[in-house]
Every structure is written in structure tokens, then in C-alpha cells.
Amino acid sequence: MDIYVDIKALNNSGDGSQTSPFGTISQAAKIAKPGDTVHVAPGIYREQVEPANGGTEDAPVTYVSDEPLGATITGAEQITSWERYDGNVWVAKLDNSFFGDFNPFTTFVYGDWYFAGKTKHVACVYINDRRLYEAASFDEVIKAEIYPCSWVPEESKYKWFAEQDGSKTVIYANFGSLDPNAELAEINVRRRCFFPAETGRNYITVRGFKVCKAATNWAPPAAFQEGMIGPHWSKGWVIEDCEIYFSKCAGISVGKYLDPENDHFFTYKHTKSPTQMERDAVCRGQYHGWLKENIGSHIIRRNNIHHCEQGGIIGRMGAVFSTIEDNHIHHINNMMELGGAEVAGIKIHAAIDVLMRRNHIHHSVMGIWTDWEAQGTRITQNLLHDNQRPDFAKPLRGGMGSEDIFVEVGHGPTLIDNNILLSDATLRIATQGVAMVHNLICGAFTSVGAGTDWRYTPYHFPHRTEVMGFMTILHGDDRFYNNIFFQKFPKASLVSRFDDGRIEVEERVVGTHVWDQYPEYDEWIGWFDMDTDTPDMMKLFKGHESHLPVWIDGNAYFGGAQRFAKEKNYLLDEKSEVYANIREEGDKAYLDTNIASFLGDFTGSMIDTNVLGQVFEPSQRFEDRDGKDIVFDTDYFGNKRTAVIPGPFADPNVEGKNVVL
């Protein structure tokens, strides 16, 4: 059945037919059944849509904006009752009943793994689709000074501050020279935009909407994870061709359900560590139906996701077996008002058999962060660049470091292949079981072998969610084949000094040299005296606790990048003047590089699943999620390789070629 919605419908009294449409999407969402399509006419829909029913695999419920990006679902309301207070500062006084049972201006962003202090609210004020910064006092609104942590400092002069006065919320805002009553001035009112109230609303497709301006709260892994849009612990959603922006925290959530017994447990009870509560979340999740048959298998594709302050796409456990492809994700956490361990363009815990391909991610605090259980995860054919803090921006207390990819405390297999990685830190690798094949790598590896030895994390039966075991991170078990390493940025270590006196120092020398002290396989297996039938357990203790082996071969190094000392087949060129730069023109990006010109006749060998082998703890191969072998004979563009040259391109003549989606 086709159901019709048009914001221009009189009195919301229609019956959903084409001649008498509903006036709100929520009316349609109450009655839509499997196989139905909800057609939404252009307009601004100021509502929180909570689909009452899901569909089936063969008959999903589909919500479509009939004009692509013509229908906007927003969590904001326009305010036209501003009064000039002083100069550029205006004031609006709203009765608290205006907000119903949820007032964003009295609700703080806070929770587990949030490090920036309980100072910011989930509210926001907007003027003509520009966000204002929250001030700590009324005086800051008047002064309109630049916020030193912002990545867009000029915008940070425009601020708001709110306080309670009896039964009213009083909002002061500095709009610069603009009159908010003559412009589009809005404030956050609703928590979410399109999100079921109940779990298990499976097989829903959302296509072609703008989704924006919701008062989402912090979404860590052992808590209810809300986003402006998301499936809420369901299966088989498709979110496609949407523009998703201006979430206070998360844009899309494919994450965790509400478990009252493990919801910000550390924040409010303190008695168990947040890491322990994550382990609990994994095991409790299985009790609550976390199985391949019930959860995940979503498709998130061709979306423009930007200007969200926690993450573009986030999720704990709910993203399993999903595909995230062809999205443009950019300018995440650039306001630098929020800081904690959940900030990235894509932040997925338990990315089991999650495929992330052909995404363009840039100007974000972090590009892709796979945390815990990145098992069967594949990150392929993505373009990542400028995911680094600008030199002029001061580090935020509680803020995260920046890199294109962060793989944390997992056991693998995590496969990163045929990507273009151009930020000054390529991979934070506080993990094991990673394979990097045929990438262009212009940044350093950081956190190699550091800081996670105490983090006992789960691993799973291959291609399933059932827990197979728990183990700490030994580090190693990594493979690096046929990559190009280029020292694009200075080699000097990055030193970040924070207001609390903390100092962080990160590696900035590009290359595989950071594994020089790791064993190769023959050395490692020799520690175990495999020829005896009566092994001495105490004698083997060193082997059981030491780093795992690494396999590194066929890589090319330019501009001072340094190789693994034991690598046998490699190209090292420290003299040639090479470059690799992204040139953006409108919605297109181009790679300007001459690196391929200096590869000469150097070749590697064809890599496949058999060469990569299996990772140590889960004994799982680097294979497709259907269990089939992978042969790396296809490049970034999908072209077939003939000669096996390092890097993501089969054709060495790629100078100036379009490399974006």
C-alpha cells in the first residue's frame, strides 16, 4: 500500500491517501505495515518519528522523500520571540512547558567514557543553518571571543547561554549582526528524528531525507546509544541517499539497546570499571538476543553525513554484518565542545563482519574507529584525508588524538586494503590481527604495542556473535603487503600539551620500522619446542606472553619512510621528490601524485587469503564474511591488477585521476 504525507495538509486530518494525505510522518508511521511505502512531500517536518511496525526481508516498510532531500525531519523548532538584550545579544524566554517532558537546556552531555567535563548541554541554537557555541557564562556571550579549541575559530565567536528563571528557560544568544526574528533562528527541542521507541522494528528503509538538529546525548558502548536516526536494536535497515547533519552527538546510531542494569553504570555507580561494563555488555547482549539471526545486517549508503559532534555513525554490537558504503562523512567534532572516547566519523564497537567501502571521510577528529571485536571487519577502497587537528587549534581537555583509522583492542582479523590514507597519522594500532594490503599510506603508525596489555576483550566464533573466549592484547599478528609508505608530513613527534598538565607524544615517522622488535613467524614458533610430547608449561610462559609475529613484505618507501628491518623484498627511495595531495573541486576530489613514476619495475606478489593465513586467537582467516577466499587482484577503482605493484592502483598512471565516490 502507498501512504502519502504532505506538511501542507490541512489540520492533519487526512487519511493517508494521495488525495487526502496525512500532515505528519508520525501519522503514517503508526499504521505502515510490511510492504507499505510512505511517500513524503517536500517540506520541514518538525517531529520525532517512531515507527510502530517493521517489515520483512521480502517486504520492508519504506519511507521515501518523493523529492530527493526535499523533505526534512528536524528535532528543532523555530523561535520568533527574540528580544534585543544588548548590542548583538538577544534573549528568548520560553515557558518550560514548551519542551514537554524533555528540556535540552537542562540536560547535560555526559556518561561513560566522556572526558570533557559536565559543562555542555544537549541543546543547540542555530541561525540560518549555522550552529552557535555554548558559553559557560553570560559574559562570554557578550564578549564573543574565539574559542581556542575550535577547528573553525571564526564561527566560535557566535555563542549562546541558557539559565532557568522559575518556570522559564531563558536563552541569550549572540547572532552577530543578524536579527533572529527576520532570519531562521532555531533551537533543539527533540531528542531524535527517526528512531523506533521499541526494539525489533526490522527491515525499514529510509531514503532521500534531510535529518538534522536533534538533542542526542552521549552514546558510549555500555549505555543506550541514540542517534538522530537509527534502527534501535533491529535487523535489516537501509538508510540511503540522506543528508544527516547537526546532531549534538551521533548522526546515525546502529548501536545498543537500553539495558537498565548496564546503562552508564560506571558514571553513576563507579564500582565497576567502564571496561568491565563493556565486557558485561557483550555477555548481557547475548542474553538479550544478540545473534546474527536477530540483529544487524544493515545497509548505510550514499549518505552525506556531516557536522555531528560525537560521530557520524556509531554503534555497539548492533552494526554486525552490516555494509557502510559510498558515504561522504566530514567535519565531525569540529566545534570541539565535546570530548571522549567515542568520537569519529565512524565509531563501531564489535564490527563483526562489517564492510566499510568507498567512503570519503575527511576533516574529522578521527576517520574510522573500530573498538573491540573488529573481527571479520574489512575497510576497503576508502579515501581518508585531513583527519587531524589543525595547528592553530588548542587540544581539548578530554579530546581524542587524530588519525585516519584506529583499531583498538581486538584480535582480528581486521583487513585494511586498497585505501588512500593521507592524514599525518594513518593507523593507531593498539590491537592485533590487522592486515594492510595495497594501501597508499602517508601517515605514521601510533600506539604500537602500547597501553592495552590489561584489556581482556572477547573474540567470537567466525562469522557469528557467540563469544568464543577472552584474551588480553599481545600485539603483533599483523601483516603488511604491497603498500606504499610516503613521509608526507614532518617526522618530528607530535607533542600535545593539555590544560590539566597531561602531555601526549605520538610517533610521526612513517613506515613499518615500528615492528623491528617483533618476531617473524619462524622465530616465534621456535619458542614453543613443538617437537616434544611433554612441553614444560613454565618454560613456554615467555612465548605465551610475548608479542605475536608479523609478516611484512613487498612494500615501497618514499620521502624518508622507514622499513621493517627484516623485510626482504622492498623498495626504498629517499632521494626522489615525490608528492601526494588531495585537490577538492566542489563535490569532487582528485589525487595529485607522482609516486607511481618512481616505482620503476619493482613488484610484489599477488596476495590472497591463503597468504594472509589466520589470526591467532579466534583462528579465523582473512576471508569474506561468507567464508570465501579474497584475492587482492582488484584495485581502488575496481580495476583488475595484472602486474602487482605496491599501492591501491593497478594502473600506475593515476596522476590527477578522480578518486572520490
Side-chain angles (χ1 to χ4, degrees):
M1 181 172 73
D2 291 316
I3 303 171
Y4 293 87
V5 178
D6 192 334
I7 190 68
K8 295 188 292 294
L10 295 176
N11 302 320
N12 297 337
S13 59
D15 59 10
S17 65
Q18 191 167 13
T19 56
S20 182
F22 289 134
T24 69
I25 304 170
S26 294
Q27 290 172 287
K30 291 178 181 178
I31 67 167
K33 298 291 196 303
D36 289 350
T37 298
V38 177
H39 299 270
V40 182
I44 298 176
Y45 295 82
R46 299 186 184 276
E47 55 181 307
Q48 182 169 311
V49 182
E50 298 179 337
N53 306 299
T56 66
E57 186 171 7
D58 296 327
V61 178
T62 300
Y63 295 79
V64 59
S65 172
D66 281 342
E67 178 185 305
L69 303 182
T72 298
I73 307 173
T74 177
E77 290 289 338
Q78 184 175 5
I79 303 299
T80 58
S81 58
W82 297 94
E83 298 178 0
R84 190 182 294 275
Y85 184 85
D86 181 26
N88 292 332
V89 177
W90 297 71
V91 63
K93 298 179 180 181
L94 304 172
D95 194 277
N96 285 338
S97 62
F98 173 79
F99 299 100
D101 59 0
F102 172 69
N103 187 339
F105 293 89
T106 60
T107 305
F108 285 99
V109 176
Y110 202 57
D112 291 356
W113 301 103
Y114 186 75
F115 303 143
K118 196 173 183 178
T119 61
K120 303 299 180 185
H121 293 86
V122 297
C124 195
V125 178
Y126 310 88
I127 185 74
N128 296 339
D129 263 356
R130 187 178 72 204
R131 297 169 297 177
L132 276 64
Y133 284 62
E134 182 174 2
S137 67
F138 172 76
D139 286 344
E140 286 188 11
V141 179
I142 293 287
K143 292 178 180 177
E145 295 176 342
I146 286 176
Y147 172 50
C149 297
S150 173
W151 288 22
V152 279
E154 284 303 312
E155 292 186 8
S156 71
K157 294 188 295 185
Y158 304 99
K159 304 178 190 292
W160 64 269
F161 174 75
E163 61 185 6
Q164 293 296 302
D165 183 6
S167 63
K168 293 185 180 297
T169 294
V170 181
I171 306 169
Y172 302 93
N174 190 324
F175 295 109
S177 60
L178 298 177
D179 177 350
N181 295 318
E183 309 290 338
L184 179 60
E186 299 171 287
I187 63 170
N188 282 357
V189 174
R190 287 169 287 278
R191 293 184 64 158
R192 298 179 285 274
C193 295
F194 194 104
F195 202 94
E198 305 294 332
T199 61
R201 300 304 185 257
N202 302 330
Y203 298 107
I204 291 177
T205 294
V206 183
R207 180 184 306 128
F209 291 86
K210 288 185 178 181
V211 181
C212 63
K213 300 172 185 170
T216 53
N217 211 331
W218 191 247
F224 169 56
Q225 292 186 306
E226 64 180 355
M228 290 198 298
I229 181 172
H232 193 189
W233 202 245
S234 301
K235 183 175 182 178
W237 276 47
V238 178
I239 302 173
E240 61 187 7
D241 301 310
C242 294
E243 183 178 6
I244 297 165
Y245 62 102
F246 287 171
S247 176
K248 186 67 178 193
C249 288
I252 298 175
S253 171
V254 283
K256 188 176 168 293
Y257 57 96
L258 174 62
D259 181 351
E261 295 183 34
N262 188 7
D263 190 54
H264 299 287
F265 185 103
F266 171 77
T267 295
Y268 297 109
K269 295 187 179 179
H270 319 310
T271 53
K272 290 185 181 180
S273 75
T275 300
Q276 180 60 28
M277 299 319 297
E278 290 193 45
R279 285 186 281 265
D280 284 3
V282 173
C283 297
R284 294 176 66 86
Q286 305 232 251
Y287 177 79
H288 288 280
W290 187 42
L291 294 170
K292 186 174 186 178
E293 290 74 17
N294 302 334
I295 301 298
S297 297
H298 307 300
I299 298 173
I300 302 172
R301 63 189 172 200
R302 300 189 303 270
N303 300 290
N304 180 11
I305 306 169
H306 59 97
H307 294 94
C308 299
E309 286 308 301
Q310 177 185 334
I313 303 171
I314 63 99
R316 172 61 151 140
M317 302 190 293
V320 290
F321 315 110
S322 294
T323 299
I324 301 171
E325 63 184 1
D326 299 313
N327 298 287
H328 185 195
I329 304 174
H330 54 105
H331 298 94
I332 301 298
N333 196 223
N334 285 187
M335 293 178 81
M336 273 289 150
E337 289 193 314
L338 310 182
E342 310 303 325
V343 174
I346 302 173
K347 174 65 191 287
I348 303 293
H349 282 77
I352 297 172
D353 282 2
V354 172
L355 173 62
M356 294 175 250
R357 66 182 171 197
R358 298 190 304 268
N359 299 289
H360 181 195
I361 306 176
H362 60 97
H363 292 93
S364 297
V365 166
M366 200 177 296
I368 297 172
W369 187 350
T370 62
D371 201 349
W372 293 49
E373 303 141 285
Q375 183 170 330
T377 308
R378 188 175 183 186
I379 301 170
T380 182
Q381 296 173 294
N382 300 283
L383 170 62
L384 290 93
H385 62 92
D386 292 290
N387 297 306
Q388 58 207 40
R389 176 169 52 86
D391 291 339
F392 58 75
K394 182 179 178 181
L396 172 68
R397 171 181 171 260
M400 291 289 98
S402 293
E403 47 270 329
D404 281 333
I405 302 172
F406 185 4
V407 183
E408 185 177 11
V409 292
H411 302 281
T414 305
L415 177 57
I416 304 171
D417 69 281
N418 289 296
N419 299 284
I420 302 170
L421 306 169
L422 301 181
S423 300
D424 66 355
T426 287
L427 176 64
R428 185 179 295 265
I429 184 169
T431 192
Q432 63 191 45
V434 172
M436 296 193 75
V437 183
H438 281 294
N439 299 283
L440 172 57
I441 297 170
C442 292
F445 296 128
T446 67
S447 293
V448 177
T452 55
D453 297 343
W454 53 278
R455 298 282 290 277
Y456 278 85
T457 57
Y459 50 96
H460 302 259
F461 289 95
H463 312 298
R464 299 291 303 180
T465 60
E466 291 89 338
V467 173
M468 184 176 176
F470 285 80
M471 184 55 186
T472 188
I473 305 302
L474 299 174
H475 301 281
D477 200 14
D478 301 317
R479 292 101 169 129
F480 299 89
Y481 289 107
N482 298 346
N483 301 286
I484 294 176
F485 293 92
F486 168 40
Q487 185 75 51
K488 176 177 170 64
F489 300 93
K491 290 185 174 183
S493 296
L494 177 67
V495 180
S496 298
R497 303 178 185 276
F498 297 85
D499 287 344
D500 58 5
R502 182 167 50 95
I503 299 175
E504 290 184 356
V505 180
E506 291 187 0
E507 174 81 19
R508 282 300 181 269
V509 178
V510 175
T512 54
H513 61 287
V514 289
W515 279 272
D516 279 353
Q517 304 307 314
Y518 283 65
E520 294 185 293
Y521 179 80
D522 289 343
E523 179 186 358
W524 175 79
I525 199 66
W527 297 342
F528 296 98
D529 196 13
M530 302 296 287
D531 296 329
T532 180
D533 294 330
T534 57
D536 183 338
M537 292 181 65
M538 297 307 295
K539 183 178 179 181
L540 298 183
F541 183 78
K542 173 182 179 295
H544 290 146
E545 296 295 315
S546 296
H547 290 325
L548 297 167
V550 296
W551 293 260
I552 300 176
D553 198 58
N555 301 290
Y557 302 85
F558 294 97
Q562 297 182 15
R563 69 176 180 89
F564 177 55
K566 303 169 192 174
E567 187 170 3
K568 297 176 179 61
N569 180 40
Y570 61 89
L571 173 65
L572 181 63
D573 182 345
E574 296 180 324
K575 297 181 179 179
S576 297
E577 295 291 331
V578 302
Y579 57 86
N581 300 306
I582 283 291
R583 173 167 47 89
E584 295 186 82
E585 297 180 3
D587 61 351
K588 300 290 186 182
Y590 300 85
L591 176 65
D592 292 326
T593 181
N594 65 347
I595 290 178
S597 303
F598 299 101
L599 290 174
D601 58 0
F602 178 78
T603 59
S605 57
M606 184 66 73
I607 305 301
D608 59 21
T609 291
N610 291 324
V611 173
L612 296 180
Q614 65 181 28
V615 293
F616 181 65
E617 296 294 354
S619 299
Q620 180 176 334
R621 304 189 313 150
F622 287 89
E623 61 191 12
D624 273 343
R625 55 190 174 191
D626 60 4
K628 294 180 180 178
D629 287 4
I630 299 172
V631 180
F632 296 91
D633 60 355
T634 304
D635 76 352
Y636 177 94
F637 295 110
N639 299 324
K640 287 293 184 179
R641 290 188 166 91
T642 51
V644 181
I645 61 173
F649 305 120
D651 179 2
N653 300 308
V654 295
E655 287 83 348
K657 193 169 185 178
N658 181 6
V659 296
V660 76
L661 308 177

